[in-house]
Amino acid sequence: MGMLCAVSFNRYGRLYYLDPGELRPQVGDKVLVPTDEGPEVAECVWAAQWVTEDTDGFPRLAGLAQEDDLRRDELLRRRKADAKVAAKRLIREHGLPMKVVAVDHVLGQVEGGGGERTTIYFTAPHRVDFRSLVRDLGATLHCRVELRQLSARDSARVQGGIGSCGRDLCCATFLKDFEPVTIRMAKDQDLPLNPLRISGACGRLMCCLKYEHPLYQRFQESAPPIGSRVGTPEGDGKVVGHSVPRDTVTVRLDADGSRCACSRASVCAPRQAHDQHYPH
């Protein structure tokens, strides 16, 4: 048991959980987060509080941001904005089919001798020869420039957005790794195979198709298939539908043709065999 707080580098961006140590940051406080390039300024969006999970593996806050840290963060944001404008202008001049998605900038390090570096993330329909673009960007920005092409899913993660559910994109908030999503998952959940209905902001299959898929798999393993005949507490009939979220099976009764919703346990073979062997 320990204490955790959550911070974000951008508004509505991904949350990062850290051990506050001796600090007690409140919502809205600017804090320093340790990164590979040194401490970076982030905003506390979840005040430090006790949690039941083990917090030994979480990184610890480097401290509260001071005036010098805030000025450095403002300079960093200006450099990123300038680099983005310059990249878009030069891409148009070179006539390249590229779209700038995000820009990252590392200020010169006093210790270690590292110079300034700008990384530009972009999307493109195919591989692009951007060697001349890199040279022009380096001459314009006066620093080392790297260009990295992102996939459609990574692009959506970096840019963020709102999904069809009305919430922030999962990949931009809490998903750390992309797991394989297949069209079979949509079929198993009886979803319409319309690309506009089952595709996310990235144009690929929605990651959330995987969330409930194990539930549908377990249901289908034990539930009687549609068209099979079953016995229910209200009489015999034929299965005409499934409702996985409710864990029920819809049965059309032979007696009067009416339909009834029965729990999966009451019509599955193991339960019926149990009732026959141990009558009430």
Side-chain angles (χ1 to χ4, degrees):
M1 186 173 181
M3 297 193 75
L4 285 180
C5 65
V7 304
S8 177
F9 291 97
N10 300 295
R11 187 178 293 274
Y12 308 121
R14 180 186 296 274
L15 298 182
Y16 296 88
Y17 297 90
L18 297 99
D19 181 355
E22 302 299 325
L23 303 174
R24 296 297 179 265
Q26 299 299 314
V27 174
D29 289 349
K30 300 295 184 179
V31 297
L32 294 177
V33 178
T35 68
D36 293 339
E37 305 295 342
E40 297 289 345
V41 176
E43 181 177 349
C44 180
V45 296
W46 179 30
Q49 58 183 274
W50 292 100
V51 295
T52 57
E53 292 80 5
D54 184 12
T55 60
D56 290 341
F58 288 87
R60 176 169 293 196
L61 284 180
L64 296 177
Q66 306 300 320
E67 290 297 327
D68 291 343
D69 300 316
L70 297 178
R71 284 194 293 269
R72 184 175 182 275
D73 184 63
E74 182 60 27
L75 174 62
L76 185 63
R77 293 180 185 276
R78 287 202 302 268
R79 295 286 177 84
K80 290 181 180 180
D82 294 341
K84 192 171 186 178
V85 171
K88 289 183 176 180
R89 176 176 58 82
L90 290 173
I91 286 174
R92 288 196 302 269
E93 293 178 0
H94 283 262
L96 297 174
M98 301 166 59
K99 178 183 177 182
V100 177
V101 174
V103 175
D104 193 16
H105 186 82
V106 177
L107 296 174
Q109 302 295 320
V110 177
E111 299 180 359
E116 294 196 18
R117 181 177 73 253
T118 296
T119 304
I120 298 174
Y121 301 92
F122 70 94
T123 58
H126 49 75
R127 293 184 64 86
V128 179
D129 184 1
F130 48 72
R131 287 174 293 183
S132 60
L133 174 63
V134 171
R135 288 195 297 268
D136 290 348
L137 281 171
T140 302
L141 301 176
H142 306 291
C143 65
R144 186 159 61 94
V145 177
E146 296 179 2
L147 270 71
R148 296 183 182 179
Q149 186 170 354
L150 298 180
S151 64
R153 290 190 183 275
D154 285 327
S155 176
R157 166 190 282 178
V158 171
Q159 295 184 93
I162 303 298
S164 58
C165 59
R167 300 176 63 88
D168 293 326
L169 297 180
C170 298
C171 59
T173 51
F174 65 89
L175 280 184
K176 294 183 178 180
D177 299 309
F178 292 117
E179 297 185 7
V181 182
T182 64
I183 197 68
R184 167 57 60 185
M185 296 179 182
K187 292 181 179 179
D188 290 344
Q189 298 175 49
D190 292 327
L191 295 174
L193 301 183
N194 182 345
L196 297 178
R197 298 285 300 276
I198 60 176
S199 298
C202 59
R204 304 295 190 267
L205 291 173
M206 293 188 295
C207 294
C208 57
L209 291 177
K210 191 175 181 65
Y211 296 167
E212 297 180 357
H213 187 242
L215 175 66
Y216 281 79
Q217 286 182 310
R218 290 193 296 269
F219 183 93
Q220 293 172 356
E221 288 174 356
S222 58
I226 294 178
S228 61
R229 298 194 58 79
V230 296
T232 74
E234 300 183 24
D236 295 340
K238 179 186 293 186
V239 176
V240 294
H242 293 154
S243 179
V244 179
R246 295 186 177 90
D247 198 28
T248 60
V249 175
T250 303
V251 179
R252 186 172 60 231
L253 300 176
D254 295 336
D256 54 6
S258 63
R259 299 191 179 195
C260 67
C262 307
S263 67
R264 174 171 53 95
S266 66
V267 297
C268 67
R271 176 60 180 270
Q272 292 179 347
H274 176 274
D275 292 343
Q276 291 176 2
H277 192 272
Y278 301 100
H280 296 293

